[in-house]
Amino acid sequence: MNVKLHDPQNEPDFSAFIGMDWGDKSHAIALYDPHSKQTETSTVVQSAEKLHAWLDQLEARFGGKPVALAIEGTRGAVFPVLLGRPWLHVFSVHPATSSRFRTAFAPSGAKDDEPDALVLLKILRCHRDQLRVLSLDDLETRLVGGLCEARRAAVDQRTQLCNQLTACLKKYYPQALELIGEHLDSPMALDLLEQWPDLLALKKARPATLTKFFYDHNVRSPKVVEARLKLIENARLLTADPVILSISVSQMRLFVAQLQVVQEHIERFDSQIAAAFKAHPDAALFSQLPGAGKVLAPRLLAAFGADRERFPTPESLQKYAGLAPVLEKSGGSIWIHWRWHAPTFLRQTFVEWAGQTVVYCPWAKAYYKTMKAKGKTHWVILRALAFKWIRILWKCWQERTPYKDELYQKQLEKRNSPLAKILSEKPPIPT
């Protein structure tokens, strides 16, 4: 979804203003007609038929002329429906903003749905120059971004299932964790648990059968295989309680089955993302970034999008992504703090990629070491590095020019950057 600051100088002549407090079951509506100067309130039941019928009535009533609508947030089932109407200009209001307005107008703390819609209407009419306008990204960007977010949700689900499986095995089958290793979602781990769901079944297996199993799953070091066979031979039951064993095995089978399905769909997401990324017109700008790879390159592309007007300056993206620090003053005190309420997935994308550039990009690695020597913590450094990277990528994105590491290092030298001096120093010859 495209989110950008409203430009009041280029706004159309709105035929109506609407505050919409959306909900799972119904939506409260407050509509102001500038011609009659009347405010109307109503409720729309949440269903595809009722919502489209209400929008059809609005379009007919105002002849398809521009209508401004204020709504909280940027996500929910109602947003694609609203954004699908080209005559409807959707303004996003942060929930904290409407909450503070509500408190200002109702100090008693009273709250119900209709006043919320009226508050949104008042914000829209009086302060829309401070609001952001929502619109749909181009189809290619939406496809890449949507698939990346869906994949991330599946990965988070996989992590949760792995944690649950670990806790389950610790209760009755801890030896499995030693045999499997850290990756409980690997084919070897899932196959081992499916074939030998408890220690008794595992100990009954012949050494030759176990050796073949490990070899088939690319564990072919004789020492490693011998150590695992020895571990199985000497293993003892943590508990022989038949109730605990029966329930635990059933739970384990559930987690394994779920992991197999989730893993299959993650691989499917990977294939879809690769195809969608390759087809995107801006893929070349992100495909060769240091440390990006097949996962982070599409996420970075979706973070920028195709609309060059969305982020007119690098600072606009730095602030939107939550990486630009906030300066606060009160009396004689000044302090800098973390920017709140930023899109979590977007911020994670930049910070995670910054961490990868420390491994694959010389100047990023030098920057990390310099900041570490100053006593900065790992995550503080990565956020600061992501802040720097956005400025660099923004320029490449605006000019449609792929990033070149050697060109940026020449710029560092030209500006006499301390990083350039570090990069030019030759490592000492070992004695």
Side-chain angles (χ1 to χ4, degrees), residues 77-288:
V78 72
F79 285 90
V81 181
L82 299 176
L83 295 173
R85 303 287 178 134
W87 50 269
L88 195 60
H89 296 244
V90 182
F91 291 76
S92 175
V93 179
H94 196 283
T97 301
S98 57
S99 176
R100 288 166 185 151
F101 261 81
R102 188 188 312 116
T103 304
F105 298 145
S108 64
K111 177 187 182 297
D112 57 50
D113 288 341
E114 187 173 300
D116 279 355
L118 289 169
V119 167
L120 289 168
L121 177 60
K122 187 174 184 66
I123 293 172
L124 176 64
R125 290 184 58 200
C126 302
H127 305 285
R128 61 182 175 276
D129 59 317
Q130 301 295 317
L131 300 180
R132 294 185 179 274
V133 185
L134 303 180
S135 62
L136 292 175
D137 282 314
D138 59 285
L139 290 173
E140 294 89 347
T141 301
R142 285 167 54 200
L143 181 59
V144 173
L147 287 171
C148 286
E149 291 199 36
R151 183 191 185 278
R152 182 55 178 256
V155 169
D156 289 342
Q157 186 177 3
R158 181 179 66 186
T159 301
Q160 183 181 13
L161 286 168
C162 286
N163 291 337
Q164 291 175 311
L165 179 57
T166 298
C168 177
L169 292 173
K170 285 181 177 179
K171 289 191 298 184
Y172 84 105
Y173 194 9
Q175 296 86 356
L177 294 172
E178 296 183 61
L179 295 169
I180 291 168
E182 296 181 358
H183 302 290
L184 272 70
D185 57 323
S186 67
M188 186 193 76
L190 299 177
D191 290 347
L192 186 144
L193 292 172
E194 198 168 35
Q195 192 164 345
W196 299 293
D198 56 36
L199 184 60
L200 290 176
L202 186 63
K203 289 180 76 68
K204 289 177 182 178
R206 296 168 54 201
T209 302
L210 293 169
T211 300
K212 184 179 183 304
F213 174 86
F214 289 125
Y215 268 63
D216 290 344
H217 289 83
N218 296 318
V219 181
R220 297 177 180 177
S221 167
K223 289 184 178 179
V224 173
V225 173
E226 183 63 30
R228 292 186 180 187
L229 294 178
K230 197 71 174 176
L231 186 153
I232 295 169
E233 181 184 350
N234 297 330
R236 295 182 59 183
L237 283 173
L238 179 64
T239 176
D241 188 319
V243 173
I244 293 177
L245 290 173
S246 176
I247 295 172
S248 297
V249 168
S250 296
Q251 285 183 311
M252 181 275 295
R253 289 190 187 280
L254 171 63
F255 297 140
V256 166
Q258 289 177 310
L259 275 169
Q260 288 171 332
V261 172
V262 170
Q263 191 67 14
E264 176 187 337
H265 283 276
I266 289 174
E267 292 172 2
R268 189 174 299 168
F269 279 133
D270 286 337
S271 298
Q272 291 175 312
I273 289 169
F277 178 69
K278 184 178 180 180
H280 197 285
D282 286 335
L285 299 179
F286 300 91
S287 59
Q288 300 301 319

Side-chain angles (χ1 to χ4, degrees), residues 279-331:
H280 197 285
D282 286 335
L285 299 179
F286 300 91
S287 59
Q288 300 301 319
L289 290 175
K294 65 178 184 180
V295 173
L296 287 171
R299 285 173 58 179
L300 289 167
L301 182 149
F304 280 87
D307 183 2
R308 264 59 179 184
E309 296 180 3
R310 181 183 181 186
F311 302 114
T313 64
E315 291 80 12
S316 60
L317 178 53
Q318 288 167 333
K319 291 176 181 178
Y320 180 67
L323 293 167
V326 176
L327 178 68
E328 286 202 25
K329 298 181 181 180
S330 179

